Amino acid sequence: MQKLVQIVYISRSTFEKTDAVNKIEPNVVRILAKSRVNNRKNGLVGVLYFGDGAFFQCLEGEEEAVNALFSKIEKDTRHKDIKLISKKYISKLSFPDWAMKYAPLDDRMRSFLQEHQYQKFDPYAFPPEATQKILSVLIDAYDPTSDIDAQSPSLSAAVHNTYQTQAISGKLMRLSLILSAVACVLAIYAVCIVHGTL
Ligand code: FAD
């Protein structure tokens, strides 16, 4: 049997902030859904925190599987400045029931930030000893997405609805620009007719 390992890394998102789906960034919802399916298959567990444009993720499992996933994650263009901040061998999993737990900004995280006088969640500015403290906050956090799964109708409906709404509002915007342009041309034409210049 292989050794169990725990890694923690931080990164910055590269995507534009979009409207939240049930208070969660849609890109994060998609990452979570994919992670839950893949990690369950590969015997991996962990937790993901996303706040102020920064990711903080802990992954646990057999060393080879964790390393293979981390190599994939490093190539993912949805984030950058990926920095491994902790790697250690463990005797048991900290998140045995979580293929990928999602921890939101809750009261305990707010207290952690206030206690250290941080204005926002910027893990690059945290001292190394903060890593385990953040992890214990995340282990205790309530996951509002525990019912989210790639197969979950509520997830696909939520993500689908967001993209539908964005697509429809984009189309309406283009239509209103075309109608404004046509109205301008007609107005100029009418003025020219009135003044007899046509
Ligand atoms: P597919 O889903 O088929 O993806 C194929 C390729 O497309 C991959 O290279 C993938 O990176 C890329 N891709 C897919 N969707 C997008 C997109 N919307 N934008 C840009 N590129 C995309 N995966 C896990 O399995 N477990 C995790 O715990 C996990 N945590 C992650 C945490 C963060 C912060 C991020 C950004 C990603 C995480 N991922 C995780 C996703 C991971 O990087 C890979 O995208 C995923 O594992 C690929 O799954 P797949 O092999 O089934 O390929």
Side-chain angles (χ1 to χ4, degrees), residues 102-139:
Y102 172 72
L105 175 62
D106 62 6
D107 289 348
R108 289 198 60 200
M109 183 59 88
R110 278 195 194 91
S111 314
F112 166 83
L113 295 175
Q114 271 168 14
E115 207 180 294
H116 294 82
Q117 292 167 356
Y118 292 123
Q119 305 299 318
K120 58 176 194 159
F121 185 79
D122 179 8
Y124 296 86
F126 299 159
E129 60 274 16
T131 304
Q132 289 306 316
K133 206 161 180 187
I134 295 173
L135 267 183
S136 67
V137 170
L138 302 185
I139 286 171

Coordinates of all heavy atoms in Angstrom, one line a residue, residues 102-139:
Y102 N -16.5 22.1 -0.2 CA -16.3 23.5 -0.5 C -16.6 24.3 0.8 O -17.6 24.1 1.5 CB -17.3 23.9 -1.6 CG -17.4 25.4 -1.8 CD1 -16.3 26.0 -2.4 CD2 -18.4 26.2 -1.3 CE1 -16.3 27.4 -2.6 CE2 -18.5 27.5 -1.5 CZ -17.4 28.1 -2.2 OH -17.4 29.5 -2.4
A103 N -15.7 25.2 1.1 CA -15.9 26.0 2.3 C -16.1 27.4 1.9 O -15.3 28.0 1.2 CB -14.6 25.8 3.2
P104 N -17.2 28.0 2.3 CA -17.5 29.4 2.0 C -16.8 30.4 3.0 O -16.3 29.9 4.1 CB -19.0 29.5 2.0 CG -19.3 28.5 3.1 CD -18.3 27.4 3.1
L105 N -16.9 31.7 2.7 CA -16.5 32.7 3.7 C -17.5 32.7 4.8 O -18.6 33.1 4.6 CB -16.4 34.0 3.0 CG -16.0 35.2 3.9 CD1 -14.6 35.1 4.5 CD2 -16.1 36.5 3.1
D106 N -17.2 32.1 6.0 CA -18.1 32.1 7.1 C -17.6 32.8 8.3 O -16.5 33.5 8.2 CB -18.5 30.6 7.5 CG -17.3 29.8 7.9 OD1 -16.2 30.5 8.1 OD2 -17.4 28.6 8.2
D107 N -18.3 32.8 9.4 CA -17.9 33.6 10.6 C -16.5 33.2 11.1 O -15.8 34.1 11.5 CB -18.9 33.4 11.7 CG -20.2 34.1 11.3 OD1 -20.3 34.8 10.4 OD2 -21.2 33.8 12.0
R108 N -16.2 31.9 11.0 CA -14.9 31.5 11.5 C -13.7 32.0 10.7 O -12.7 32.4 11.1 CB -14.8 30.0 11.7 CG -15.7 29.5 12.8 CD -15.3 28.1 13.2 NE -13.9 28.0 13.7 CZ -13.2 26.9 13.7 NH1 -13.7 25.8 13.3 NH2 -12.0 26.9 14.1
M109 N -14.0 32.0 9.3 CA -13.0 32.6 8.4 C -12.8 34.1 8.6 O -11.7 34.6 8.6 CB -13.3 32.2 7.0 CG -12.3 32.7 6.0 SD -10.7 32.0 6.2 CE -10.8 30.4 5.3
R110 N -14.0 34.8 8.8 CA -14.0 36.2 9.0 C -13.2 36.5 10.3 O -12.4 37.4 10.3 CB -15.4 36.8 9.2 CG -16.0 37.0 7.9 CD -17.3 37.9 8.0 NE -18.0 37.7 6.7 CZ -18.9 36.8 6.4 NH1 -19.3 36.0 7.4 NH2 -19.5 36.8 5.3
S111 N -13.4 35.7 11.4 CA -12.7 35.9 12.6 C -11.2 35.7 12.4 O -10.4 36.5 12.9 CB -13.1 35.0 13.7 OG -14.4 34.8 13.8
F112 N -10.8 34.7 11.6 CA -9.4 34.4 11.4 C -8.8 35.6 10.7 O -7.7 36.1 11.1 CB -9.3 33.2 10.5 CG -7.9 33.0 9.9 CD1 -6.9 32.4 10.6 CD2 -7.6 33.5 8.6 CE1 -5.6 32.3 10.1 CE2 -6.4 33.4 8.0 CZ -5.3 32.8 8.8
L113 N -9.5 36.2 9.7 CA -8.9 37.3 8.9 C -8.8 38.5 9.8 O -7.8 39.2 9.8 CB -9.8 37.7 7.7 CG -9.9 36.6 6.6 CD1 -10.9 36.9 5.5 CD2 -8.5 36.3 6.0
Q114 N -9.9 38.8 10.7 CA -9.8 39.9 11.6 C -8.7 39.8 12.6 O -8.0 40.7 12.9 CB -11.2 40.0 12.3 CG -12.2 40.9 11.5 CD -13.6 40.7 12.1 OE1 -13.8 40.2 13.2 NE2 -14.5 41.2 11.3
E115 N -8.6 38.6 13.2 CA -7.6 38.3 14.2 C -6.2 38.7 13.7 O -5.4 39.2 14.4 CB -7.7 36.8 14.5 CG -7.2 36.3 15.8 CD -7.4 34.8 15.8 OE1 -8.6 34.3 15.8 OE2 -6.4 34.1 15.9
H116 N -5.9 38.4 12.4 CA -4.6 38.6 11.8 C -4.6 40.0 11.1 O -3.6 40.3 10.4 CB -4.2 37.5 10.9 CG -4.0 36.2 11.6 ND1 -5.0 35.4 12.0 CD2 -2.9 35.6 12.1 CE1 -4.6 34.3 12.6 NE2 -3.3 34.5 12.7
Q117 N -5.6 40.7 11.2 CA -5.8 42.1 10.6 C -5.5 42.0 9.1 O -4.9 42.9 8.5 CB -4.8 43.1 11.3 CG -5.3 43.3 12.7 CD -4.2 44.0 13.5 OE1 -3.1 44.3 13.1 NE2 -4.6 44.3 14.7
Y118 N -6.1 41.0 8.5 CA -6.1 40.9 7.0 C -7.3 41.6 6.5 O -8.4 41.3 6.9 CB -6.0 39.5 6.5 CG -4.6 38.8 6.9 CD1 -4.6 37.7 7.6 CD2 -3.4 39.4 6.4 CE1 -3.4 37.1 7.9 CE2 -2.2 38.8 6.8 CZ -2.2 37.6 7.5 OH -1.0 37.1 7.8
Q119 N -7.2 42.4 5.5 CA -8.4 43.1 4.9 C -9.1 42.1 4.0 O -10.3 42.3 3.7 CB -7.9 44.3 4.0 CG -7.1 45.3 4.7 CD -7.8 45.9 5.9 OE1 -9.0 46.2 5.8 NE2 -7.2 46.1 7.1
K120 N -8.4 41.2 3.4 CA -9.0 40.2 2.5 C -8.3 38.9 2.5 O -7.2 38.8 3.2 CB -9.1 40.8 1.0 CG -7.7 41.1 0.5 CD -7.9 41.5 -1.0 CE -6.5 41.5 -1.7 NZ -6.6 41.4 -3.1
F121 N -8.9 37.9 1.8 CA -8.3 36.6 1.8 C -7.1 36.6 0.8 O -7.4 36.5 -0.4 CB -9.3 35.5 1.5 CG -8.7 34.1 1.6 CD1 -8.6 33.5 2.8 CD2 -8.3 33.4 0.5 CE1 -8.1 32.2 2.9 CE2 -7.8 32.1 0.6 CZ -7.7 31.5 1.8
D122 N -5.9 36.8 1.3 CA -4.7 36.8 0.4 C -3.7 35.8 1.0 O -2.8 36.1 1.8 CB -4.1 38.2 0.3 CG -2.9 38.2 -0.6 OD1 -2.6 37.2 -1.2 OD2 -2.2 39.2 -0.6
P123 N -3.8 34.5 0.6 CA -3.0 33.5 1.2 C -1.5 33.7 0.9 O -0.7 33.1 1.7 CB -3.5 32.2 0.6 CG -4.2 32.6 -0.7 CD -4.7 33.9 -0.4
Y124 N -1.2 34.5 -0.1 CA 0.3 34.7 -0.4 C 0.9 35.6 0.7 O 2.1 35.6 0.9 CB 0.4 35.4 -1.7 CG 0.0 34.6 -2.9 CD1 -1.4 34.6 -3.3 CD2 0.8 33.7 -3.5 CE1 -1.8 33.7 -4.3 CE2 0.4 32.9 -4.6 CZ -0.9 32.9 -4.9 OH -1.3 32.1 -6.0
A125 N 0.0 36.3 1.5 CA 0.5 37.2 2.5 C 0.5 36.5 3.9 O 1.1 37.0 4.9 CB -0.3 38.4 2.6
F126 N -0.1 35.3 4.0 CA -0.1 34.6 5.3 C 1.2 34.0 5.6 O 1.9 33.4 4.8 CB -1.2 33.5 5.3 CG -2.6 34.0 5.0 CD1 -3.6 33.1 4.5 CD2 -3.0 35.3 5.2 CE1 -4.9 33.6 4.2 CE2 -4.3 35.8 4.9 CZ -5.2 34.9 4.5
P127 N 1.5 33.9 6.9 CA 2.8 33.2 7.3 C 2.5 31.7 7.2 O 1.4 31.3 7.3 CB 2.9 33.7 8.8 CG 1.6 34.0 9.2 CD 0.8 34.5 8.1
P128 N 3.6 30.9 7.1 CA 3.5 29.5 7.0 C 2.6 28.8 8.1 O 1.9 27.9 7.8 CB 4.9 28.9 7.0 CG 5.8 30.1 6.8 CD 5.0 31.3 7.2
E129 N 2.7 29.3 9.3 CA 1.9 28.7 10.4 C 0.4 28.9 10.2 O -0.4 28.2 10.9 CB 2.4 29.2 11.8 CG 2.3 30.7 12.1 CD 3.6 31.5 11.5 OE1 4.3 30.9 10.7 OE2 3.7 32.6 12.0
A130 N 0.0 29.8 9.3 CA -1.4 30.0 9.2 C -2.1 28.9 8.4 O -3.3 28.6 8.5 CB -1.6 31.3 8.4
T131 N -1.3 28.1 7.7 CA -1.8 27.0 6.8 C -2.7 26.0 7.6 O -3.8 25.8 7.3 CB -0.7 26.3 6.1 OG1 0.1 27.2 5.4 CG2 -1.2 25.2 5.1
Q132 N -2.1 25.5 8.7 CA -2.8 24.5 9.5 C -4.0 25.1 10.2 O -5.1 24.5 10.4 CB -1.9 23.8 10.5 CG -0.9 22.9 9.9 CD -1.5 21.8 9.0 OE1 -2.5 21.2 9.3 NE2 -0.9 21.6 7.8
K133 N -3.9 26.4 10.5 CA -5.0 27.1 11.2 C -6.2 27.3 10.2 O -7.3 27.0 10.5 CB -4.5 28.5 11.7 CG -5.3 29.0 12.8 CD -4.6 30.1 13.5 CE -5.4 30.6 14.7 NZ -4.9 31.7 15.3
I134 N -5.9 27.6 9.0 CA -6.9 27.8 7.9 C -7.5 26.4 7.7 O -8.8 26.3 7.6 CB -6.3 28.3 6.6 CG1 -5.8 29.8 6.8 CG2 -7.4 28.3 5.5 CD1 -5.1 30.4 5.7
L135 N -6.7 25.4 7.7 CA -7.2 24.0 7.4 C -8.2 23.6 8.5 O -9.3 23.1 8.2 CB -6.1 23.0 7.4 CG -5.5 22.7 6.0 CD1 -4.4 21.6 6.1 CD2 -6.6 22.3 5.0
S136 N -7.9 24.0 9.8 CA -8.9 23.6 10.8 C -10.2 24.4 10.7 O -11.2 23.8 11.0 CB -8.2 23.7 12.2 OG -8.0 25.0 12.5
V137 N -10.1 25.6 10.2 CA -11.3 26.4 10.0 C -12.1 25.7 8.9 O -13.3 25.6 9.0 CB -10.9 27.9 9.5 CG1 -12.2 28.6 9.0 CG2 -10.3 28.6 10.7
L138 N -11.4 25.2 7.8 CA -12.1 24.6 6.7 C -12.7 23.3 7.0 O -13.8 22.9 6.5 CB -11.2 24.5 5.5 CG -10.5 25.8 5.0 CD1 -9.8 25.6 3.7 CD2 -11.6 26.9 4.7
I139 N -12.0 22.5 7.9 CA -12.5 21.2 8.3 C -13.8 21.3 9.0 O -14.8 20.6 8.8 CB -11.4 20.5 9.2 CG1 -10.3 20.0 8.3 CG2 -12.1 19.3 9.9 CD1 -9.1 19.4 9.1

